[in-house]
Amino acid sequence: MIELDHLEKVYLAREGSHRALHDVSLTIGEGEIFGIIGQSGAGKSTLVRCINLLERPTSGRILIDGVDVTNYQGRDLRRLREGIGMIFQNFSLFQQRTVLDNVMFPLTIRGEKKDHAKKRALELLDVVELADKAHRYPSELSGGQQQRVAIARALANNPRIMLCDEATSALDTRTTVSVLNLLAKINKELGVTLVVITHSLAVARHICDRVAVIDEGVIVEEGPTRQVLENP
Ligand code: ADP
Ligand code: ADP
């Protein structure tokens, strides 16, 4: 479903160029929970941001369902991004908007009628078990609750793919487990393919079917989680 084909990414900076990805090829299957693991600076975010074209690779191709999307622009790019939800370590909620408005946001910018967007947002808040917080502001919620709002927002456009960039790194262990269980439920019940960036082997073991290990921009290992993470 997601195919990365010989990706290279070079960032140009004043101090010189930095190669963040080198010869990265990966295939992520429909319905999988796929982990990208590696240390800080290894290139995980860059890799995952190539999937929704928040970063453009310097060379190589990105295929979604066999279609080369690498050079998508304009309307094609917007459609592609609508089909890919994303959540972040810092939740990235709009602080001045209520929980409900945060979840309605992707729907209203797409032009949905307000009452329809509201109904859908309330359904999504139900999925993440936060319907009772609809009229609160993010700062009134715990970290785990805020991440669940972000998950509801990411689901608003019915994405088939969700990118999770260190989504539990700001949470304590118990909250991490509950957010991971929610993501697993979304994967199973809604069939959303998950790409999970983490530096935590425990997180990868808890949720990922397969993982790729990235080091200095190079995939050094890839396979079923148990196999990759239990080898000496
Ligand atoms: P990770 O997610 O594994 O921490 P990143 O993909 O964020 O790694 O970064 C990989 C490397 O690319 C790092 O050395 C980082 O400093 C560099 N990098 C990331 N984004 C940029 C950018 N916009 N400009 C220049 N260098 C960048
Ligand atoms: P403000 O101007 O109020 O600070 P921003 O426009 O900078 O808000 O966005 C706040 C956060 O919401 C950002 O971290 C951004 O990543 C996230 N965000 C912005 N647009 C979207 C969107 N269409 N879908 C999901 N998250 C978004």
Side-chain angles (χ1 to χ4, degrees):
M1 166 186 224
I2 304 172
E3 221 180 315
L4 307 179
D5 180 28
H6 298 290
L7 291 191
E8 298 278 336
K9 176 69 185 183
V10 177
Y11 288 111
L12 300 174
R14 195 168 300 164
E15 321 79 69
S17 64
H18 177 84
R19 189 171 69 182
L21 297 177
H22 177 54
D23 200 20
V24 167
S25 292
L26 271 185
T27 302
I28 300 174
E30 172 131 41
E32 263 195 311
I33 304 184
F34 194 96
I36 308 285
I37 58 185
Q39 309 216 315
S40 176
K44 304 183 296 296
S45 279
T46 302
L47 191 167
V48 166
R49 290 160 64 87
C50 283
I51 296 173
N52 60 359
L53 302 176
L54 283 177
E55 294 291 351
R56 301 273 176 171
T58 307
S59 66
R61 298 186 310 157
I62 298 136
L63 296 99
I64 310 275
D65 296 328
V67 177
D68 186 345
V69 303
T70 319
N71 297 309
Y72 269 18
Q73 300 283 355
R75 183 202 293 204
D76 289 334
L77 179 60
R78 273 201 307 283
R79 288 238 173 94
L80 173 84
R81 289 198 180 141
E82 275 173 17
I84 304 179
M86 191 161 185
I87 57 173
F88 307 89
Q89 175 168 3
N90 63 3
F91 323 129
S92 292
L93 297 172
F94 300 107
Q95 295 298 325
Q96 305 85 340
R97 297 181 187 218
T98 64
V99 163
L100 181 64
D101 282 344
N102 267 279
V103 181
M104 285 173 65
F105 179 76
L107 298 166
T108 46
I109 54 164
R110 227 186 45 179
E112 297 246 359
K113 290 229 170 63
K114 207 170 165 204
D115 54 344
H116 183 266
K118 185 172 171 185
K119 182 163 172 277
R120 170 93 183 118
L122 286 169
E123 282 167 13
L124 288 162
L125 285 170
D126 220 23
V127 171
V128 302
E129 294 171 14
L130 284 177
D132 59 322
K133 304 282 190 229
H135 300 289
R136 302 282 185 157
Y137 287 85
S139 60
E140 300 176 280
L141 272 53
S142 71
Q145 290 171 335
Q146 290 187 55
Q147 192 58 290
R148 279 149 53 163
V149 174
I151 290 169
R153 183 178 65 181
L155 290 173
N157 286 317
N158 287 317
R160 295 174 56 214
I161 299 170
M162 193 145 123
L163 309 178
C164 312
D165 190 346
E166 298 282 6
T168 55
S169 298
L171 306 175
D172 62 40
T173 308
R174 211 176 55 179
T175 313
T176 291
V177 169
S178 85
V179 168
L180 293 178
N181 289 344
L182 173 63
L183 290 171
K185 179 177 120 172
I186 285 162
N187 168 260
K188 216 166 255 113
E189 293 178 10
L190 305 178
V192 179
T193 302
L194 301 180
V195 184
V196 175
I197 293 184
T198 184
H199 66 272
S200 158
L201 301 186
V203 165
R205 283 201 185 93
H206 191 86
I207 192 174
C208 297
D209 303 316
R210 287 197 302 141
V211 294
V213 181
I214 182 167
D215 184 31
E216 294 187 3
V218 176
I219 305 270
V220 291
E221 236 186 315
E222 187 207 332
T225 309
R226 212 165 294 152
Q227 196 177 311
V228 171
L229 297 186
E230 278 166 24
N231 275 349

